[in-house]
Amino acid sequence: MTAPLLEFDDFRLHFDTFDGCYQALDGVTLSIAAGESLGIVGETGCGKSVTAKSVLGLVPSPPARVAGGDLRYRGRSLLGLDEAAMRRIRGVEIAMIFQDPMTYLNPLFTIGDQMSAVIAAHDAGRPRAQRRSASQRRRLAADMLARVHLPNPDIQLTRYPHQLSGGQRQRVLIAMALSGSPSLLIADEPTTALDVTIQAQILDLLDELRRDLGLAILLISHDLGVISRVCDRVAVMYAGTVVETAPVESLFDDPRHPYTRGLLASVPHPRKPAQMLAGIPGTVPNLLHPPAGCRFQARCPSAVPACSQQRPATVSLAPRHDAACLLLAQRHVHEPDPHAA
Ligand SMILES: Nc1ncnc2c1ncn2[C@@H]1O[C@H](COP(=O)(O)OP(=O)(O)OP(=O)(O)O)[C@@H](O)[C@H]1O
Ligand SMILES: [Mg+2]
């Protein structure tokens, strides 16, 4: 098995607010190997973006505070890195793209100027002899635009962000992200603002980059269809916890956690006839006062009294298929899963 590129190890993140301590992430454990694509899915507010932003130190602290666990890149903790050390990782080892490219593009500068500035910032961390000249930066920017299939890259470099469509702007952001030759690309809802056809093209591009460049991808979406198009594996989050992790196929074919089952009942299976849309009754717990035990217990159709007493440990149900549910753990101990290795 390949050593993980990125590892969340029982990672906990709290926000100190005027109302009290908001326990946003409660023991997130996840890993991504080099060249792998992992999706994170879950409903709004479950902690997907906070998980992603924590990797690059992008959650403002305060109010955020790491309350436990670790976050490692190539075996080295990312927690407590100073700004200079984080700059050597950001963009060069790990790059990130977001939902709205316009927020990250300056309307007053051309695409070429902005891409050159990003490349110069990467060069700032290199020995002087290895830094690129202005024309080399421009060349690399054009190459990256060609890499993301923007036609006429030299012309695109002279354009301003408002002269591009939403899909083209997202391609520019991906090109900028690639310009530092990262090993991991984190994409937080990169296609949510785009229409369906353009969304599919951007997802296909991400998949192509993974295959051709060996780029690992952490793709965040509330849409399992988006994740299944690009990812090998998917982690399902609920109220700041990871409830189930599985290869995408196994998650669709054999969901094990009661929350995942509810979630799948509410989306049509891409390869099965459309089902009735079911929702999950109840509401997400208030993370200022999370319940003891399992965070899903109040909405869980299978909950037993023990679920409110102990935090469910994560159990391995099959190779690469884990879930955090007390009932699955008990069943697993008493009746071994026939799929287990
Ligand atoms: N700076 C902050 N201060 C206090 N709470 C915060 C802060 N940033 C995020 N949160 C809270 O952390 C929780 C997780 O937020 P996050 O943005 O990660 O959700 P998400 O899963 O990405 O949701 P969405 O699908 O809507 O993007 C939310 O309840 C949010 O209100
Ligand atoms: Mg988000």
Side-chain angles (χ1 to χ4, degrees), residues 15 17 22 24 42-51 60 63 189 222:
F15 290 104
T17 72
Y22 187 89
E43 52 197 303
T44 185
C46 71
K48 304 181 296 294
S49 295
V50 164
T51 300
E189 305 270 8
H222 58 273

Side-chain angles (χ1 to χ4, degrees), residues 95-106 111 114-115 118 122 144-145 148 150 161 164-180 182 185-186 190 202 205-206 209:
M96 191 158 172
I97 57 169
F98 301 88
Q99 178 173 337
D100 179 15
M102 225 27 201
T103 314
Y104 302 91
L105 291 170
N106 189 325
I111 301 302
Q114 296 186 61
M115 290 193 70
V118 167
H122 295 151
M144 290 300 117
L145 291 180
V148 299
L150 264 185
L164 305 180
S165 68
Q168 289 174 328
R169 288 198 283 261
Q170 193 57 283
R171 283 180 198 269
V172 167
L173 268 254
I174 297 172
M176 276 183 184
L178 295 179
S179 67
L185 177 69
I186 300 177
I202 297 287
L205 172 65
L206 292 178
L209 295 172

Side-chain angles (χ1 to χ4, degrees), residues 23 45 53 126 153 176 218-219 234 287 293 298 311 314 327 332 336:
Q23 301 178 32
K53 287 180 182 165
R126 297 169 140 207
M176 276 183 184
L218 177 60
L219 175 64
V234 56
L287 298 188
R311 241 176 114 233
T314 298
L327 297 170
H332 196 60

Side-chain angles (χ1 to χ4, degrees), residues 1-76:
M1 177 158 173
T2 336
L5 193 63
L6 180 72
E7 275 175 288
F8 291 84
D9 181 2
D10 201 22
F11 182 66
R12 286 152 205 265
L13 191 88
H14 294 173
F15 290 104
D16 291 315
T17 72
F18 288 118
D19 296 325
C21 173
Y22 187 89
Q23 301 178 32
L25 298 182
D26 184 48
V28 169
T29 296
L30 284 175
S31 70
I32 309 173
E36 189 189 25
S37 55
L38 174 74
I40 299 183
V41 71
E43 52 197 303
T44 185
C46 71
K48 304 181 296 294
S49 295
V50 164
T51 300
K53 287 180 182 165
S54 296
V55 177
L56 290 176
L58 298 177
V59 189
S61 172
R65 169 168 56 84
V66 174
D70 203 358
L71 194 46
R72 289 184 289 271
Y73 179 71
R74 296 191 190 276
R76 257 187 73 203

